[in-house]
Amino acid sequence: MSNPIIKVEQLSCRYGAREVFAQLDLDAAQGEVLALLGPNGAGKSTLLRCLARLQQPQLGKIWLNNQPLWQIKQRLAAQQIAFAPQNHGLNSDLTVEQMLLLGRTPHRGWLLPMSKADRAIVEQLLERFNLAQYRRQSLAELSGGEQRRVIIARALAQQPSILLLDEPTAHLDLKYQLEIMQLVSELAHSDGVCVILTLHDLNQASLCADRIALLAHGRLQAVGPPNSVLRSELIEAAYDVPVQLIEHPSHGLPLVMLQPQPKERSWLV
């Protein structure tokens, strides 16, 4: 792997008395997709929030281009790191175009008017994400897949080097899931963006990620390419369920299948 653009060292986070994870070491480079996997409560979203400077860890360090993340001015950090949450929490009365223009705030501030260059960037994103026809519609008028595209497009309007995505395919039908996964791959491998995303679907991670980081039981259990992390013994220990792995017929990557015990098969009938 090339030199990491972002790196965490001995990172620890907790909520009150509950430890989420501890002594976590991880890094990511430009042009790669890093998927964070793990059961509910493993700390995937918490780690994303730490990387986005939305939550400060109790212990450890985060480095952005070899600089301490929390010592970089917020505006400069926002020009390099963009976060697209699962629940956008945005004012749905804003139009799609207005939402994307908000992504230019780290470069313009709240008071300066948008320049021709800003509007050109937004126009390019509207076209790239097939959103131009919705530019004057509010977020509430769009489908779930269209809303997700708007949120990611708004993050990309920041022109970041690092894109953080929290469950980008959650609650989407198969068409939109595939669309988002193809977009993630394109952003990393064609545009050179470092994409770090959380996923619950292990098979999506296998097909779209260059590397996978598996979190469970408060620790980083494994990190590496899909073939080295998606192994039955690691998955079963992390998720506490029996699984069977098969090879994807076209890509040769591991696919994970649940392996119900005989006494539990009644729900399959």
Side-chain angles (χ1 to χ4, degrees), residues 71-103:
Q71 294 181 20
I72 300 173
K73 291 183 178 180
Q74 175 64 32
R75 181 174 173 183
L76 294 178
Q79 291 174 4
Q80 300 178 71
I81 301 175
F83 178 48
Q86 180 182 341
N87 298 315
H88 49 79
L90 297 173
N91 187 344
S92 60
D93 290 333
L94 293 174
T95 67
V96 169
E97 186 173 31
Q98 289 170 335
M99 298 274 283
L100 267 61
L101 284 169
L102 283 176

mmCIF file of all heavy atoms in Angstrom, residues 71-103:
data_model
loop_
_atom_site.group_PDB
_atom_site.id
_atom_site.type_symbol
_atom_site.label_atom_id
_atom_site.label_comp_id
_atom_site.label_asym_id
_atom_site.label_seq_id
_atom_site.Cartn_x
_atom_site.Cartn_y
_atom_site.Cartn_z
ATOM 1 N N GLN A 71 -5.384 19.117 15.506
ATOM 2 C CA GLN A 71 -4.674 20.394 15.546
ATOM 3 C C GLN A 71 -4.837 21.185 14.253
ATOM 4 O O GLN A 71 -4.370 22.319 14.154
ATOM 5 C CB GLN A 71 -3.193 20.158 15.847
ATOM 6 C CG GLN A 71 -2.938 19.609 17.239
ATOM 7 C CD GLN A 71 -1.465 19.396 17.524
ATOM 8 O OE1 GLN A 71 -0.592 19.962 16.872
ATOM 9 N NE2 GLN A 71 -1.171 18.549 18.506
ATOM 10 N N ILE A 72 -5.490 20.570 13.265
ATOM 11 C CA ILE A 72 -5.746 21.255 11.992
ATOM 12 C C ILE A 72 -7.001 22.098 12.134
ATOM 13 O O ILE A 72 -7.984 21.681 12.756
ATOM 14 C CB ILE A 72 -5.924 20.226 10.855
ATOM 15 C CG1 ILE A 72 -4.661 19.372 10.715
ATOM 16 C CG2 ILE A 72 -6.232 20.919 9.529
ATOM 17 C CD1 ILE A 72 -4.809 18.223 9.738
ATOM 18 N N LYS A 73 -6.998 23.289 11.567
ATOM 19 C CA LYS A 73 -8.176 24.143 11.624
ATOM 20 C C LYS A 73 -9.365 23.428 10.982
ATOM 21 O O LYS A 73 -9.219 22.744 9.974
ATOM 22 C CB LYS A 73 -7.913 25.470 10.923
ATOM 23 C CG LYS A 73 -6.917 26.365 11.651
ATOM 24 C CD LYS A 73 -6.754 27.692 10.946
ATOM 25 C CE LYS A 73 -5.789 28.604 11.711
ATOM 26 N NZ LYS A 73 -5.609 29.907 11.037
ATOM 27 N N GLN A 74 -10.539 23.615 11.592
ATOM 28 C CA GLN A 74 -11.729 22.897 11.157
ATOM 29 C C GLN A 74 -12.004 23.092 9.670
ATOM 30 O O GLN A 74 -12.327 22.139 8.952
ATOM 31 C CB GLN A 74 -12.933 23.355 11.980
ATOM 32 C CG GLN A 74 -14.266 22.763 11.540
ATOM 33 C CD GLN A 74 -14.326 21.260 11.700
ATOM 34 O OE1 GLN A 74 -13.718 20.706 12.608
ATOM 35 N NE2 GLN A 74 -15.046 20.596 10.822
ATOM 36 N N ARG A 75 -11.871 24.313 9.189
ATOM 37 C CA ARG A 75 -12.174 24.582 7.785
ATOM 38 C C ARG A 75 -11.201 23.848 6.862
ATOM 39 O O ARG A 75 -11.600 23.305 5.829
ATOM 40 C CB ARG A 75 -12.127 26.086 7.526
ATOM 41 C CG ARG A 75 -12.464 26.472 6.097
ATOM 42 C CD ARG A 75 -12.542 27.972 5.942
ATOM 43 N NE ARG A 75 -12.700 28.347 4.546
ATOM 44 C CZ ARG A 75 -12.745 29.601 4.113
ATOM 45 N NH1 ARG A 75 -12.654 30.594 4.984
ATOM 46 N NH2 ARG A 75 -12.886 29.855 2.844
ATOM 47 N N LEU A 76 -9.926 23.806 7.238
ATOM 48 C CA LEU A 76 -8.940 23.111 6.415
ATOM 49 C C LEU A 76 -9.182 21.607 6.441
ATOM 50 O O LEU A 76 -9.028 20.929 5.417
ATOM 51 C CB LEU A 76 -7.528 23.434 6.908
ATOM 52 C CG LEU A 76 -7.077 24.891 6.744
ATOM 53 C CD1 LEU A 76 -5.671 25.082 7.313
ATOM 54 C CD2 LEU A 76 -7.116 25.301 5.271
ATOM 55 N N ALA A 77 -9.567 21.082 7.601
ATOM 56 C CA ALA A 77 -9.874 19.661 7.687
ATOM 57 C C ALA A 77 -11.086 19.314 6.825
ATOM 58 O O ALA A 77 -11.116 18.268 6.166
ATOM 59 C CB ALA A 77 -10.121 19.273 9.137
ATOM 60 N N ALA A 78 -12.090 20.205 6.814
ATOM 61 C CA ALA A 78 -13.312 19.965 6.032
ATOM 62 C C ALA A 78 -13.040 20.025 4.534
ATOM 63 O O ALA A 78 -13.826 19.488 3.740
ATOM 64 C CB ALA A 78 -14.379 20.981 6.412
ATOM 65 N N GLN A 79 -11.962 20.673 4.133
ATOM 66 C CA GLN A 79 -11.604 20.691 2.721
ATOM 67 C C GLN A 79 -10.971 19.378 2.283
ATOM 68 O O GLN A 79 -10.866 19.099 1.102
ATOM 69 C CB GLN A 79 -10.634 21.851 2.446
ATOM 70 C CG GLN A 79 -11.269 23.224 2.583
ATOM 71 C CD GLN A 79 -10.260 24.351 2.445
ATOM 72 O OE1 GLN A 79 -9.085 24.123 2.169
ATOM 73 N NE2 GLN A 79 -10.718 25.581 2.630
ATOM 74 N N GLN A 80 -10.551 18.579 3.264
ATOM 75 C CA GLN A 80 -9.887 17.317 2.942
ATOM 76 C C GLN A 80 -10.725 16.086 3.285
ATOM 77 O O GLN A 80 -10.573 15.042 2.652
ATOM 78 C CB GLN A 80 -8.554 17.231 3.698
ATOM 79 C CG GLN A 80 -7.587 18.347 3.346
ATOM 80 C CD GLN A 80 -6.305 18.246 4.141
ATOM 81 O OE1 GLN A 80 -5.495 17.346 3.916
ATOM 82 N NE2 GLN A 80 -6.104 19.150 5.080
ATOM 83 N N ILE A 81 -11.597 16.210 4.300
ATOM 84 C CA ILE A 81 -12.400 15.071 4.746
ATOM 85 C C ILE A 81 -13.882 15.421 4.640
ATOM 86 O O ILE A 81 -14.319 16.445 5.165
ATOM 87 C CB ILE A 81 -12.085 14.701 6.206
ATOM 88 C CG1 ILE A 81 -10.594 14.354 6.367
ATOM 89 C CG2 ILE A 81 -12.940 13.530 6.652
ATOM 90 C CD1 ILE A 81 -10.199 14.087 7.806
ATOM 91 N N ALA A 82 -14.640 14.571 3.961
ATOM 92 C CA ALA A 82 -16.087 14.761 3.857
ATOM 93 C C ALA A 82 -16.790 13.541 4.440
ATOM 94 O O ALA A 82 -16.361 12.411 4.227
ATOM 95 C CB ALA A 82 -16.505 14.965 2.402
ATOM 96 N N PHE A 83 -17.873 13.788 5.167
ATOM 97 C CA PHE A 83 -18.614 12.728 5.842
ATOM 98 C C PHE A 83 -20.042 12.706 5.324
ATOM 99 O O PHE A 83 -20.742 13.716 5.353
ATOM 100 C CB PHE A 83 -18.596 12.988 7.351
ATOM 101 C CG PHE A 83 -19.377 11.992 8.169
ATOM 102 C CD1 PHE A 83 -19.226 10.634 7.972
ATOM 103 C CD2 PHE A 83 -20.252 12.423 9.156
ATOM 104 C CE1 PHE A 83 -19.926 9.711 8.739
ATOM 105 C CE2 PHE A 83 -20.961 11.515 9.933
ATOM 106 C CZ PHE A 83 -20.801 10.154 9.717
ATOM 107 N N ALA A 84 -20.465 11.552 4.836
ATOM 108 C CA ALA A 84 -21.845 11.364 4.382
ATOM 109 C C ALA A 84 -22.522 10.386 5.333
ATOM 110 O O ALA A 84 -22.324 9.174 5.222
ATOM 111 C CB ALA A 84 -21.886 10.837 2.955
ATOM 112 N N PRO A 85 -23.308 10.895 6.299
ATOM 113 C CA PRO A 85 -23.931 10.006 7.291
ATOM 114 C C PRO A 85 -25.074 9.215 6.694
ATOM 115 O O PRO A 85 -25.614 9.542 5.642
ATOM 116 C CB PRO A 85 -24.434 10.980 8.356
ATOM 117 C CG PRO A 85 -24.703 12.246 7.594
ATOM 118 C CD PRO A 85 -23.653 12.301 6.517
ATOM 119 N N GLN A 86 -25.461 8.142 7.402
ATOM 120 C CA GLN A 86 -26.599 7.350 6.962
ATOM 121 C C GLN A 86 -27.883 8.154 7.098
ATOM 122 O O GLN A 86 -28.715 8.190 6.183
ATOM 123 C CB GLN A 86 -26.688 6.065 7.793
ATOM 124 C CG GLN A 86 -27.857 5.178 7.404
ATOM 125 C CD GLN A 86 -27.930 3.940 8.271
ATOM 126 O OE1 GLN A 86 -26.966 3.557 8.904
ATOM 127 N NE2 GLN A 86 -29.095 3.312 8.296
ATOM 128 N N ASN A 87 -28.070 8.804 8.237
ATOM 129 C CA ASN A 87 -29.213 9.679 8.452
ATOM 130 C C ASN A 87 -28.743 11.108 8.247
ATOM 131 O O ASN A 87 -28.050 11.668 9.094
ATOM 132 C CB ASN A 87 -29.767 9.488 9.869
ATOM 133 C CG ASN A 87 -30.255 8.066 10.086
ATOM 134 O OD1 ASN A 87 -30.939 7.518 9.245
ATOM 135 N ND2 ASN A 87 -29.871 7.468 11.205
ATOM 136 N N HIS A 88 -29.136 11.679 7.116
ATOM 137 C CA HIS A 88 -28.565 12.958 6.704
ATOM 138 C C HIS A 88 -28.925 14.099 7.631
ATOM 139 O O HIS A 88 -28.145 15.034 7.810
ATOM 140 C CB HIS A 88 -28.991 13.299 5.272
ATOM 141 C CG HIS A 88 -30.466 13.164 5.046
ATOM 142 N ND1 HIS A 88 -31.361 14.115 5.433
ATOM 143 C CD2 HIS A 88 -31.178 12.176 4.480
ATOM 144 C CE1 HIS A 88 -32.579 13.727 5.099
ATOM 145 N NE2 HIS A 88 -32.501 12.552 4.522
ATOM 146 N N GLY A 89 -30.108 14.107 8.218
ATOM 147 C CA GLY A 89 -30.493 15.149 9.160
ATOM 148 C C GLY A 89 -30.476 16.545 8.581
ATOM 149 O O GLY A 89 -30.232 17.521 9.291
ATOM 150 N N LEU A 90 -30.719 16.660 7.282
ATOM 151 C CA LEU A 90 -30.683 17.966 6.630
ATOM 152 C C LEU A 90 -32.087 18.520 6.451
ATOM 153 O O LEU A 90 -33.071 17.792 6.473
ATOM 154 C CB LEU A 90 -29.992 17.853 5.266
ATOM 155 C CG LEU A 90 -28.520 17.418 5.313
ATOM 156 C CD1 LEU A 90 -27.999 17.186 3.912
ATOM 157 C CD2 LEU A 90 -27.665 18.453 6.017
ATOM 158 N N ASN A 91 -32.167 19.815 6.265
ATOM 159 C CA ASN A 91 -33.442 20.481 6.046
ATOM 160 C C ASN A 91 -34.003 20.048 4.698
ATOM 161 O O ASN A 91 -33.475 20.403 3.650
ATOM 162 C CB ASN A 91 -33.237 21.999 6.086
ATOM 163 C CG ASN A 91 -34.560 22.739 6.026
ATOM 164 O OD1 ASN A 91 -35.596 22.178 5.675
ATOM 165 N ND2 ASN A 91 -34.537 24.001 6.377
ATOM 166 N N SER A 92 -35.051 19.247 4.719
ATOM 167 C CA SER A 92 -35.582 18.695 3.479
ATOM 168 C C SER A 92 -36.282 19.735 2.619
ATOM 169 O O SER A 92 -36.679 19.446 1.505
ATOM 170 C CB SER A 92 -36.547 17.542 3.791
ATOM 171 O OG SER A 92 -37.628 17.992 4.581
ATOM 172 N N ASP A 93 -36.457 20.956 3.145
ATOM 173 C CA ASP A 93 -37.061 22.006 2.335
ATOM 174 C C ASP A 93 -36.077 22.587 1.332
ATOM 175 O O ASP A 93 -36.473 23.264 0.380
ATOM 176 C CB ASP A 93 -37.594 23.130 3.230
ATOM 177 C CG ASP A 93 -38.811 22.686 4.038
ATOM 178 O OD1 ASP A 93 -39.518 21.774 3.568
ATOM 179 O OD2 ASP A 93 -39.035 23.232 5.125
ATOM 180 N N LEU A 94 -34.789 22.335 1.538
ATOM 181 C CA LEU A 94 -33.795 22.808 0.586
ATOM 182 C C LEU A 94 -33.897 22.018 -0.712
ATOM 183 O O LEU A 94 -34.216 20.832 -0.708
ATOM 184 C CB LEU A 94 -32.388 22.666 1.157
ATOM 185 C CG LEU A 94 -32.028 23.550 2.357
ATOM 186 C CD1 LEU A 94 -30.646 23.177 2.871
ATOM 187 C CD2 LEU A 94 -32.075 25.018 1.990
ATOM 188 N N THR A 95 -33.597 22.671 -1.812
ATOM 189 C CA THR A 95 -33.590 21.966 -3.085
ATOM 190 C C THR A 95 -32.300 21.158 -3.220
ATOM 191 O O THR A 95 -31.333 21.368 -2.483
ATOM 192 C CB THR A 95 -33.692 22.940 -4.265
ATOM 193 O OG1 THR A 95 -32.489 23.727 -4.322
ATOM 194 C CG2 THR A 95 -34.894 23.854 -4.121
ATOM 195 N N VAL A 96 -32.289 20.254 -4.181
ATOM 196 C CA VAL A 96 -31.106 19.447 -4.434
ATOM 197 C C VAL A 96 -29.914 20.349 -4.750
ATOM 198 O O VAL A 96 -28.804 20.151 -4.241
ATOM 199 C CB VAL A 96 -31.369 18.464 -5.590
ATOM 200 C CG1 VAL A 96 -30.080 17.799 -6.045
ATOM 201 C CG2 VAL A 96 -32.401 17.429 -5.175
ATOM 202 N N GLU A 97 -30.124 21.353 -5.581
ATOM 203 C CA GLU A 97 -29.036 22.265 -5.945
ATOM 204 C C GLU A 97 -28.517 23.018 -4.720
ATOM 205 O O GLU A 97 -27.302 23.170 -4.544
ATOM 206 C CB GLU A 97 -29.518 23.256 -7.003
ATOM 207 C CG GLU A 97 -28.416 24.146 -7.556
ATOM 208 C CD GLU A 97 -28.913 24.991 -8.708
ATOM 209 O OE1 GLU A 97 -30.114 25.349 -8.714
ATOM 210 O OE2 GLU A 97 -28.115 25.284 -9.611
ATOM 211 N N GLN A 98 -29.409 23.464 -3.862
ATOM 212 C CA GLN A 98 -28.989 24.165 -2.646
ATOM 213 C C GLN A 98 -28.202 23.254 -1.719
ATOM 214 O O GLN A 98 -27.240 23.686 -1.078
ATOM 215 C CB GLN A 98 -30.218 24.723 -1.922
ATOM 216 C CG GLN A 98 -30.878 25.894 -2.634
ATOM 217 C CD GLN A 98 -32.230 26.261 -2.028
ATOM 218 O OE1 GLN A 98 -32.902 25.429 -1.419
ATOM 219 N NE2 GLN A 98 -32.628 27.513 -2.204
ATOM 220 N N MET A 99 -28.610 21.993 -1.658
ATOM 221 C CA MET A 99 -27.899 21.035 -0.822
ATOM 222 C C MET A 99 -26.458 20.874 -1.288
ATOM 223 O O MET A 99 -25.525 20.856 -0.481
ATOM 224 C CB MET A 99 -28.613 19.688 -0.875
ATOM 225 C CG MET A 99 -30.017 19.709 -0.345
ATOM 226 S SD MET A 99 -30.086 19.471 1.418
ATOM 227 C CE MET A 99 -29.822 17.729 1.507
ATOM 228 N N LEU A 100 -26.271 20.769 -2.590
ATOM 229 C CA LEU A 100 -24.920 20.602 -3.115
ATOM 230 C C LEU A 100 -24.085 21.864 -2.911
ATOM 231 O O LEU A 100 -22.885 21.784 -2.636
ATOM 232 C CB LEU A 100 -24.966 20.220 -4.599
ATOM 233 C CG LEU A 100 -24.954 18.707 -4.890
ATOM 234 C CD1 LEU A 100 -26.166 18.020 -4.266
ATOM 235 C CD2 LEU A 100 -24.898 18.445 -6.381
ATOM 236 N N LEU A 101 -24.724 23.018 -3.031
ATOM 237 C CA LEU A 101 -24.004 24.272 -2.801
ATOM 238 C C LEU A 101 -23.497 24.368 -1.362
ATOM 239 O O LEU A 101 -22.447 24.970 -1.111
ATOM 240 C CB LEU A 101 -24.897 25.463 -3.138
ATOM 241 C CG LEU A 101 -25.096 25.747 -4.635
ATOM 242 C CD1 LEU A 101 -26.205 26.780 -4.841
ATOM 243 C CD2 LEU A 101 -23.795 26.234 -5.278
ATOM 244 N N LEU A 102 -24.228 23.749 -0.435
ATOM 245 C CA LEU A 102 -23.757 23.737 0.958
ATOM 246 C C LEU A 102 -22.403 23.044 1.075
ATOM 247 O O LEU A 102 -21.613 23.356 1.975
ATOM 248 C CB LEU A 102 -24.774 23.034 1.853
ATOM 249 C CG LEU A 102 -26.031 23.818 2.229
ATOM 250 C CD1 LEU A 102 -26.968 22.920 3.043
ATOM 251 C CD2 LEU A 102 -25.680 25.063 3.034
ATOM 252 N N GLY A 103 -22.151 22.087 0.191
ATOM 253 C CA GLY A 103 -20.871 21.393 0.223
ATOM 254 C C GLY A 103 -19.688 22.273 -0.101
ATOM 255 O O GLY A 103 -18.537 21.902 0.184
#
